[in-house]
Each structure stands twice: as structure tokens, then as C-alpha cells.
């Protein structure tokens, strides 16, 4: 396998996608944040002193996807047509699963944008809840599906 972000001399290299055919591309990612039952109750009941944590985390995730190329070296700036950030709460484990989807018609995939959105949304939840629980953990961050492009569709089993 060839690492495409390195040139023939082993130097960092932004991949040239100018010859690729634009296709509709979509990626789904997730991150999970585990917290104490106290922090989880404040978050899910909407009683947090800092306000609507989910609303702020959703906006942060969307903004992060749009800024991905500013944060991750060698990522292409993309014209995203859709960014979605959703949350699944799990009472049993006092955790929140952040689910993201990024979509565009373009010449390169949107996996990094979906991962960045999930990561920053989870980090925002952490930031807003850390006064209540300093031991929260962000885990299981991964791409769960992608579609479009030369490599086609893929889904985590």
C-alpha cells in the first residue's frame, strides 16, 4: 500500500485530486462520551447551568467539519453540502453517542470532516460538563460508514 500523503522523497504532500471525477460522497462517524450519573442527569434533563449542551455541541460539530482543513494538515478544503450532528443517550451506561454525517459532491471523501465533527461535538460536551465530572472519557471515535468515490461504499460491521 502506498501512503499518498508522502511524495517520492518521503516528504509531506497534499494529494492531487484534480483528475478525479466528482461524485456524491458521504461519511458517517461517531464518538462516545462516558460520564457520571450526576453529569448525565443534568445533561439529559436540560438542567445544566451552562444551558443547552446538546445545542451548543451540535453547532460546534458543524463548525468543526467546516474547518477541518484548517485543523488537519494536508486535508483539502471542501464545499460541504450537508453536515448533521445527532446524539443518542444511553441511560444504562451514562453515555452519549455523538453521530455525524458529512456530505458533498466532490473529488475527495469526507471521512475526516465527519470524524472532526464527532470529536469536537464530544469535546464540547466535555467542556460544558467538566465542572460536574472531571473524569469523563471520550472513547470509540471512528468512521462507521462511507459512500461514493472510486473505493465505493463501506460500512463498519
Amino acid at each position: 500500500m502506498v501512503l499518498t500523503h508522502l511524495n517520492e522523497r518521503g516528504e509531506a504532500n497534499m494529494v492531487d485530486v484534480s483528475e478525479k471525477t466528482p461524485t456524491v460522497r458521504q461519511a458517517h462517524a461517531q464518538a462516545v462520551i462516558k460520564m457520571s450519573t450526576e453529569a448525565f442527569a443534568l445533561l439529559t434533563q436540560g438542567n445544566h447551568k451552562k444551558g443547552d449542551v446538546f445545542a451548543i455541541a451540535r453547532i460546534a460539530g458543524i463548525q468543526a467539519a467546516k474547518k477541518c482543513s484548517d485543523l488537519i494538515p494536508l486535508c483539502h478544503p471542501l464545499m460541504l453540502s450537508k453536515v448533521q450532528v445527532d446524539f443518542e443517550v444511553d441511560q444504562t451506561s451514562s453515555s452519549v453517542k455523538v453521530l455525524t454525517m458529512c456530505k458533498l459532491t466532490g473529488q475527495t471523501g469526507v471521512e475526516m470532516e465527519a470524524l472532526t465533527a464527532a470529536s469536537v461535538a464530544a469535546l464540547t460536551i466535555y467542556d460544558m460538563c467538566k465542572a460536574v465530572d472531571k473524569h469523563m472519557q471520550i472513547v470509540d471515535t471512528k468512521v462507521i460508514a462511507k459512500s461514493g468515490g472510486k473505493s465505493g461504499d463501506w460500512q463498519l460491521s
Side-chain angles (χ1 to χ4, degrees), residues 35-87:
M35 62 191 67
S36 68
T37 54
E38 179 187 7
F40 184 79
L42 285 171
L43 175 66
T44 57
Q45 294 167 9
N47 295 328
H48 204 284
K49 289 181 183 177
K50 290 189 175 183
D52 187 343
V53 175
F54 289 128
I56 302 301
R58 180 173 283 112
I59 293 167
I62 293 167
Q63 286 298 105
K66 292 164 50 177
K67 293 290 191 178
C68 185
S69 67
D70 293 336
L71 301 169
I72 311 282
L74 308 180
C75 277
H76 294 86
L78 302 179
M79 291 295 298
L80 296 168
S81 57
K82 175 76 174 164
V83 178
Q84 185 173 322
V85 178
D86 294 307
F87 306 98

Side-chain angles (χ1 to χ4, degrees), residues 30-34 137-142:
Q30 72 169 40
V32 176
I33 183 163
K34 299 177 179 185
Q137 295 179 18
I138 298 171
V139 298
D140 210 19
T141 303
K142 59 190 171 189

